[in-house]
Amino acid sequence: GAGVSQSPSNKVTEKGKDVELRCDPISGHTALYWYRQSLGQGLEFLIYFQGNSAPDKSGLPSDRFSAERTGGSVSTLTIQRTQQEDSAVYLCASSLSGIGEAFFGQGTRLTVV
Amino acid sequence: TQLLEQSPQFLSIQEGENLTVYCNSSSVFSSLQWYRQEPGEGPVLLVTVVTGGEVKKLKRLTFQFGDARKDSSLHITAAQPGDTGLYLCAALSNFGNEKLTFGTGTRLTIIP
């Protein structure tokens, strides 16, 4: 597809389980962001990948959260030992160089029960 | 840490009215973007402003970047129900870390 693709679109998991969220950015985009959005709220920055540079992990809320980007393309956000407060929509965005327009996926709605 | 404050947080007005929402920071930005997000979707870019004092118009929407590049406003004339959504400003710093930082958002509801 031509846009940013995220999977799954919805995920319901039990408290304490691990989850993996996937993001396929637009081909050729060197910058990739993960954000978290709670119901009715703005975007909370989680992590930023830019080319071959070390990722900016300053937004990750705890060590239960991690992300990787393989081959400069697909990214996976992993949440270990999920908690109810992790419930939110997780949005991925990519941009051509990091200083231009950010294109967003439709998000993964995570519900921890 | 850069902090982009948007105001008001919520705004509900009648169709046909005018409105302005604001995005403010104590930091200087190299550029600032405005996005609109509709329910169930990711944010979509409306405009990018890069020059202090710059004004851009997009149909009934007017965007302004402050002279000092620390603030911006979005003015909507004759609001329509289709303008309903979450409006987010986002900025890139002037200091080498080009991470895109989003504001707190303004949730706009236009009542028919």
Side-chain angles (χ1 to χ4, degrees):
Chain A
V4 177
S5 177
Q6 291 188 245
S7 60
S9 55
N10 282 284
K11 176 72 176 180
V12 180
T13 189
E14 292 181 351
K15 178 181 174 181
K17 299 285 189 182
D18 297 352
V19 295
E20 285 189 352
L21 312 180
R22 177 186 169 104
C23 173
D24 281 275
I26 293 172
S27 178
H29 280 195
T30 61
L32 187 148
Y33 302 84
W34 282 98
Y35 295 92
R36 178 169 70 176
Q37 187 173 35
S38 299
L39 187 63
Q41 301 299 310
L43 271 62
E44 176 188 3
F45 167 76
L46 297 177
I47 189 168
Y48 170 54
F49 297 89
Q50 171 56 287
N52 295 320
S53 301
D56 180 343
K57 303 180 182 181
S58 60
L60 295 178
S62 77
D63 59 7
R64 296 186 296 105
F65 288 73
S66 63
E68 62 178 20
R69 188 178 185 191
T70 55
S73 181
V74 172
S75 178
T76 303
L77 176 68
T78 301
I79 309 173
Q80 296 178 311
R81 305 181 301 281
T82 52
Q83 304 294 313
Q84 288 186 326
E85 60 264 28
D86 300 335
S87 296
V89 175
Y90 290 80
L91 288 162
C92 174
S94 70
S95 70
L96 188 58
S97 62
I99 62 173
E101 177 179 1
F103 293 84
F104 282 83
Q106 291 195 310
T108 293
R109 181 175 297 279
L110 175 66
T111 304
V112 182
V113 297
Chain B
T1 301
Q2 304 159 21
L3 189 63
L4 283 168
E5 294 283 351
Q6 289 187 242
S7 60
Q9 186 178 0
F10 298 95
L11 183 59
S12 183
I13 64 170
Q14 294 289 135
E15 180 178 358
E17 293 184 351
N18 301 333
L19 67 107
T20 302
V21 299
Y22 301 92
C23 174
N24 296 288
S25 176
S26 57
S27 300
V28 175
F29 298 109
S30 58
S31 66
L32 191 140
Q33 302 172 347
W34 283 93
Y35 290 77
R36 180 170 64 210
Q37 184 181 24
E38 298 185 10
E41 303 290 331
V44 175
L45 180 70
L46 296 174
V47 77
T48 301
V49 286
V50 296
T51 305
E54 181 177 3
V55 177
K56 281 193 174 179
K57 293 191 175 184
L58 184 65
K59 297 183 181 178
R60 294 176 294 99
L61 279 60
T62 301
F63 304 85
Q64 184 162 10
F65 201 13
D67 290 341
R69 307 212 311 274
K70 293 183 178 181
D71 55 85
S72 181
S73 63
L74 159 59
H75 182 79
I76 301 179
T77 304
Q80 303 294 313
D83 297 329
T84 293
L86 178 66
Y87 287 80
L88 296 156
C89 63
L92 289 164
S93 75
N94 225 6
F95 306 109
N97 175 6
E98 299 295 355
K99 176 181 66 186
L100 193 62
T101 301
F102 278 83
T104 49
T106 293
R107 186 162 298 279
L108 175 64
T109 303
I110 308 301
I111 304 166

